[in-house]
Amino acid sequence: MLYIVMEDITTKVIVDDETSPITLDATELDLFDMMQSSKSKKTHGVYMGQYKKLVATLGGDFKDFSKEVIADKVASITSANSRNLMLMICIFLSQMYGDKIGSDFFAKIRSTEKSTILKQTKVKNKEIKENLPELEDLEGYLFKLDNENRTQEYIINWLIFNYFVRNKDLDVKFVKTLGEAKNYEQNYIVLLRDKIKFIRNVYKTVHKHKPQTHDIKNVHFRRHCLNFFRENKDKDKEKDVFLLNNHGTESIGSEVQRLTYKQLGEGKLFKMAVNHHRNNIDMIKIMSQTRGTGIDCLLENYDIENQ
């Protein structure tokens, strides 16, 4: 069996015959899979899924169509975000085949799409602005949840209010010692004697911003975490305790939204925070770092005054 030598365009790593299972009769899917093999498990899955959607949209392999036909097919997709992601796959595939003209062609279209997405975001932000509560309303809601001892809702809304987290960040497992928090594909709330340690190993931009650990000494938050853990252990001492019922699934987004203030979801609650702190650059920097979002991206996509 013959093996080929190929370069991963995105990493510039040469894959030789000792490491590559790709053969001369490899399919386009095999080649693209190999090209993305250095990506994180989640990113790799997203890219492979988008490649398969692209092939389904085209009705055949990427290499069998001209760039103009491919562009027309992609343009028929309704969602601008979906078009943007699929165009990125087209760029990767063009690079994989050594087609710089095709790569530049799709990159130019994608640049236009990104402008379209930004305009759409500004329109949506204008609509949201008219109905979005003030940040103080969420703070008052936290007092209500605290007084009513609604532990799960308090923990979720408190973390969104103070650490600007996304849905995936809230997919946490409760443990009592740091020794139990060793799985780097899991987020944790560690119940230590004098504080809570919130460990975020898994979130949207972790590969750029690295895992984050927060020491939390807020007595109200700690009390709710301890109560939530005890209540769940009382039900089943052998069962692991997770904050979300749908932990580890794609359904966590709808669960988090249902449990947030006015069912707004973390995205709109974050827009509330950005709108409130938009003139405080120090706070914007903290929000950027904690959430794992570049400041430019944060102000473009979440500042509802940005019209």
Side-chain angles (χ1 to χ4, degrees):
M1 183 178 292
L2 295 175
Y3 290 82
I4 62 172
V5 176
M6 63 179 291
E7 181 183 34
D8 184 328
I9 301 297
T10 58
T11 64
K12 302 301 181 184
V13 173
I14 298 296
V15 183
D16 61 24
D17 61 355
E18 293 182 359
T19 59
S20 172
I22 301 300
T23 64
L24 288 174
D25 59 353
T27 66
E28 182 175 271
L29 176 63
D30 293 332
L31 292 169
F32 187 71
D33 186 27
M34 185 64 191
M35 182 185 183
Q36 304 304 326
S37 61
S38 64
K39 301 291 191 300
S40 70
K41 183 178 179 180
K42 182 175 180 180
T43 300
H44 179 268
V46 170
Y47 287 179
M48 294 307 296
Q50 284 299 315
Y51 169 77
K52 291 173 183 177
K53 288 181 181 178
L54 174 62
V55 169
T57 300
L58 296 176
D61 283 355
F62 175 86
K63 63 179 174 55
D64 296 329
F65 297 87
S66 69
K67 61 183 184 295
E68 290 80 13
V69 169
I70 294 170
D72 286 342
K73 292 279 189 179
V74 172
S76 68
I77 298 170
T78 304
S79 167
N81 283 308
S82 295
R83 292 196 302 270
N84 183 56
L85 187 52
M86 198 166 285
L87 285 166
M88 182 173 66
I89 302 302
C90 291
I91 294 170
F92 288 159
L93 287 163
S94 297
Q95 292 174 337
M96 186 178 81
Y97 286 118
D99 180 6
K100 187 178 186 306
I101 293 176
S103 176
D104 292 344
F105 174 80
F106 290 116
K108 184 176 181 180
I109 298 174
R110 186 166 184 251
S111 177
T112 302
E113 284 292 346
K114 290 174 76 172
S115 297
T116 300
I117 292 171
L118 181 57
K119 290 177 183 177
Q120 291 177 348
T121 299
K122 290 182 177 181
V123 171
K124 289 180 181 177
N125 283 346
K126 185 177 181 180
E127 295 171 353
I128 289 171
K129 180 184 176 183
E130 298 173 358
N131 300 297
L132 206 60
E134 296 294 328
L135 196 64
E136 289 80 1
D137 296 329
L138 175 56
E139 192 170 14
Y141 184 62
L142 284 169
F143 283 116
K144 175 181 171 66
L145 294 176
D146 185 26
N147 291 332
E148 295 178 0
N149 202 33
R150 290 156 63 180
T151 58
Q152 184 189 34
E153 292 166 86
Y154 183 89
I155 294 167
I156 289 171
N157 285 275
W158 193 93
L159 288 173
I160 292 173
F161 181 80
N162 288 280
Y163 289 96
F164 319 108
V165 292
R166 301 180 180 87
N167 296 325
K168 186 64 177 176
D169 309 46
L170 294 166
D171 191 2
V172 297
K173 180 180 180 180
F174 286 75
V175 295
K176 297 179 71 174
T177 67
L178 286 172
E180 299 173 86
K182 296 298 185 183
N183 182 354
Y184 295 106
E185 294 186 358
Q186 174 66 60
N187 297 328
Y188 293 97
I189 284 181
V190 187
L191 307 170
L192 300 177
R193 179 177 297 179
D194 60 339
K195 61 188 174 185
I196 298 295
K197 192 171 283 289
F198 178 34
I199 301 173
R200 296 160 61 206
N201 292 316
V202 184
Y203 63 97
K204 184 177 180 181
T205 55
V206 66
H207 296 284
K208 181 177 181 180
H209 294 272
K210 309 301 180 185
Q212 297 196 43
T213 299
H214 312 283
D215 289 335
I216 303 172
K217 295 189 176 182
N218 181 282
V219 294
H220 299 286
F221 181 75
R222 186 171 184 276
R223 173 169 54 82
H224 282 285
C225 287
L226 289 170
N227 287 345
F228 183 82
F229 180 78
R230 289 167 182 159
E231 289 167 4
N232 281 272
K233 278 298 183 183
D234 286 344
K235 295 175 185 177
D236 189 341
K237 294 186 183 300
E238 302 300 320
K239 191 174 181 180
D240 290 332
V241 177
F242 292 89
L243 179 60
L244 303 176
N245 295 325
N246 295 308
H247 63 87
T249 73
E250 295 297 323
S251 300
I252 60 172
S254 57
E255 182 178 358
V256 170
Q257 181 166 350
R258 178 174 56 81
L259 295 170
T260 53
Y261 175 55
K262 291 191 174 182
Q263 300 187 5
L264 288 172
E266 56 83 13
K268 288 183 179 178
L269 293 180
F270 186 58
K271 286 179 186 284
M272 287 170 54
V274 173
N275 188 50
H276 182 83
H277 296 295
R278 64 191 307 268
N279 295 318
N280 183 344
I281 188 60
D282 291 332
M283 190 62 192
I284 290 294
K285 288 179 180 178
I286 291 172
M287 295 168 71
S288 169
Q289 174 61 38
T290 305
R291 187 171 173 88
T293 301
I295 291 178
D296 289 345
C297 177
L298 185 154
L299 294 175
E300 281 184 2
N301 292 283
Y302 294 99
D303 182 3
I304 60 176
E305 297 287 348
N306 180 19
Q307 299 173 27

